[in-house]
Amino acid sequence: NAGVTQTPKFQVLKTGQSMTLQCAQDMNHNSMYWYRQDPGMGLRLIYYSASEGTTDKGEVPNGYNVSRLNKREFSLRLESAAPSQTSVYFCASSTPRLAGGRNTGELFFGEGSRLTVL
Amino acid sequence: AQSVTQPDIHITVSEGASLELRCNYSYGATPYLFWYVQSPGQGLQLLLKYFSGDTLVQGIKGFEAEFKRSQSSFNLRKPSVHWSDAAEYFCAVGASFGNEKLTFGTGTRLTIIP
């Protein structure tokens, strides 16, 4: 039972290089998210996808692009990496919030991807 | 837009002592509230959640939290901490309608001393 799987777990880039973080979930969730975690700042939402084929900006989208490839996969791309993008990136997916039900949009997280930009 | 404040950056507690981690939120209606725990090098794990009903909610690992609307708070408590509780704890708030994205606090790092 894998849950949310992120790759790679670690990556070192030089300024200006590009890369894509991959995320896949096997829980049949509609919504998926990318957060970044920085010391003293908690988790900040970069982008999210409420369903296959839709994406929306979060709190800190600049410098990133996303693709919701299908229901399972949600990738995050850095086109031209900058040192300010050094961070730990978390992918998450969520259960739907059902009217009158007990599903409350709980997030399930991957183990994170630690990115260093030199 | 919703927001969350965790006023304590770092708390140190002796093993076996009680614990309370503070969380204050800002949201115009009844929010969905969550506590997550993150062990070093790991992702976040849900401890407990509140969305309606009984304002005292029980979670995993012996944790509980109480929703107090009048104080806009959702403090996390544990009567007796164990060394394995050392971790970072995040409070999060979600809107009670619309999409399910959460806003997280900045976290409280918990250190346990023998």
Side-chain angles (χ1 to χ4, degrees), chain A residues 4-5 8 11 14 30 36 53 78 86 93-94 97 102 110 116:
Chain A
V4 178
T5 304
Q11 184 72 50
K14 294 181 180 179
N30 286 328
R36 61 177 288 174
L78 287 70
T86 294
S93 65
S94 69
R97 186 178 303 127
R102 299 187 68 81
T116 301

Side-chain angles (χ1 to χ4, degrees), chain A residues 31 35 37 97 104 106-107, chain B residues 32 36 38 51 100 102:
Chain A
S31 298
Y35 284 87
Q37 183 179 28
R97 186 178 303 127
T104 55
E106 171 188 345
L107 297 187
Chain B
Y32 286 13
Y36 283 84
Q38 183 182 32
F51 60 99
E100 294 111 344
L102 300 185

Side-chain angles (χ1 to χ4, degrees), chain A residues 11-19 78-82 85 117:
Chain A
Q11 184 72 50
V12 178
L13 292 177
K14 294 181 180 179
T15 297
Q17 288 184 318
S18 63
M19 78 158 298
L78 287 70
E79 291 290 352
S80 179
Q85 294 177 303
V117 183

Side-chain angles (χ1 to χ4, degrees), chain A residues 31 33 35 37 40-43 45 48 90 94-97 101-102 104-107 109-111, chain B residues 32 34 36 38 41-44 46 49 51 88 90 95-102 104-106:
Chain A
S31 298
Y33 311 80
Y35 284 87
Q37 183 179 28
M41 304 195 74
L43 280 81
L45 182 64
Y48 67 99
F90 286 98
S94 69
T95 55
R97 186 178 303 127
R102 299 187 68 81
T104 55
E106 171 188 345
L107 297 187
F109 285 86
E111 294 189 346
Chain B
Y32 286 13
F34 304 80
Y36 283 84
Q38 183 182 32
Q42 301 296 313
L44 280 74
L46 180 70
K49 59 190 176 186
F51 60 99
E88 188 146 22
F90 292 93
S96 52
F97 58 92
N99 61 57
E100 294 111 344
K101 60 180 179 175
L102 300 185
F104 285 82
T106 52

Side-chain angles (χ1 to χ4, degrees), chain B residues 2-25:
Chain B
Q2 63 261 34
S3 66
V4 177
T5 301
Q6 292 181 249
D8 303 306
I9 296 172
H10 184 204
I11 284 182
T12 300
V13 177
S14 298
E15 190 169 13
S18 64
L19 171 70
E20 183 169 29
L21 302 182
R22 295 184 291 165
C23 172
N24 293 98
Y25 69 90

